[in-house]
Amino acid sequence: MSTSASIAQALGDIRTRIATSAREAGRDPASVGLVAVSKFHPQSSVIAALEAGQRLFGENRVQEAAAKFPELRERFPDLRLHIIGGLQTNKALEAVKIADMIESLDRPALSDALARAADKAGRLPGLLVQVNTGDESQKSGVRLEEADAFITHSMTRFGASVRGLMCIPPHDADPTPHFRTLAGMAARHGLPVVSMGMSADFETAIACGATLVRVGSAIFGARPAHA
């Protein structure tokens, strides 16, 4: 099977699983969006996914996203790009220029950088606050004890551009309590977007209220060896 055919088949399988999980949770399948995480995969794989009808993509690295996506928007004007990795302040301007949403707002310094970048670029993407639900020192995201205050401050500063929350639970833990914590926090702040769940646990995330799931390897296969 060609790469294009395998990606198209994988996308179909994931969409079916998303719809099934949503119905089992008593939800409309249309309420769950799929972010196809194309990090480290070539532009040809992104094109295969686009040709299979996928329009929403996630990238961790701003430079990699900038190399892949701008020219594709000419062919696929409804393409949407999310920056989902930890974002360095010196990459804020480039991220603001190319992204439709930045899922990793997690600290005051980045808020300042994004505000400056938005003034310079004349646009501000949608923003998700990344919450470190496991309080893991090595992971991006605002700590749980600081999250409510940071979310409130971000909503005051950026208004309706703050669309919701994102989390990545600890790798070796049951993700369910982390997903429930994030969904409850989003509801408490009246935020509609809850980005959580990846290839191994997106069905659990949907049961807990995810409105976006981020799936990479289950669509594109294992990361290339050089990545």
Side-chain angles (χ1 to χ4, degrees):
M1 186 183 297
S2 71
T3 300
S4 292
S6 62
I7 287 173
Q9 180 176 315
L11 275 167
D13 292 344
I14 295 297
R15 290 177 185 136
T16 297
R17 289 169 60 188
I18 288 172
T20 299
S21 298
R23 291 190 190 99
E24 288 176 351
R27 300 177 58 194
D28 179 354
S31 69
V32 185
L34 170 61
V35 181
V37 180
S38 49
K39 63 180 181 181
F40 306 132
H41 292 278
Q43 190 185 60
S44 59
S45 294
V46 174
I47 292 170
L50 284 161
E51 290 175 343
Q54 180 64 25
R55 290 295 182 269
L56 178 54
F57 294 85
E59 286 281 341
N60 276 46
R61 298 175 178 176
V62 176
Q63 284 175 298
E64 185 178 353
K68 286 183 195 175
F69 284 91
E71 67 182 87
L72 294 178
R73 290 186 188 271
E74 297 177 18
R75 287 177 57 191
F76 303 93
D78 54 345
L79 183 158
R80 294 292 176 266
L81 174 64
H82 288 202
I83 298 299
I84 59 175
L87 183 59
Q88 296 174 319
T89 55
N90 64 354
K91 302 292 185 186
L93 180 58
E94 194 170 13
V96 163
K97 287 179 177 178
I98 67 169
D100 297 288
M101 184 171 280
I102 294 170
E103 296 203 16
S104 44
L105 174 58
D106 65 351
R107 60 198 188 279
L110 183 56
S111 294
D112 293 343
L114 289 171
R116 289 192 299 269
D119 286 343
K120 193 167 187 177
R123 72 184 298 267
L124 179 64
L127 301 171
L128 302 185
V129 172
Q130 181 174 352
V131 181
N132 187 344
T133 57
D135 281 338
E136 298 173 274
S137 59
Q138 79 282 10
K139 191 173 284 184
S140 299
V142 60
R143 292 178 62 86
L144 265 180
E145 65 182 17
E146 301 165 356
D148 282 309
F150 184 71
I151 292 164
T152 298
H153 177 76
S154 299
M155 293 173 70
T156 300
R157 183 170 197 176
F158 296 113
S161 292
V162 178
R163 301 285 295 144
L165 308 180
M166 184 269 253
C167 77
I168 304 171
H171 178 68
D172 55 354
D174 176 3
T176 301
H178 297 272
F179 293 156
R180 287 177 176 162
T181 293
L182 195 75
M185 192 174 287
R188 196 160 64 242
H189 288 275
L191 293 169
V193 179
V194 184
S195 175
M196 58 189 189
M198 296 186 285
S199 291
D201 57 17
F202 70 84
E203 286 149 318
T204 301
I206 291 169
C208 294
T211 66
L212 287 176
V213 295
R214 308 180 305 272
V215 180
S217 59
I219 296 171
F220 296 107
R223 294 179 188 173
H226 65 274

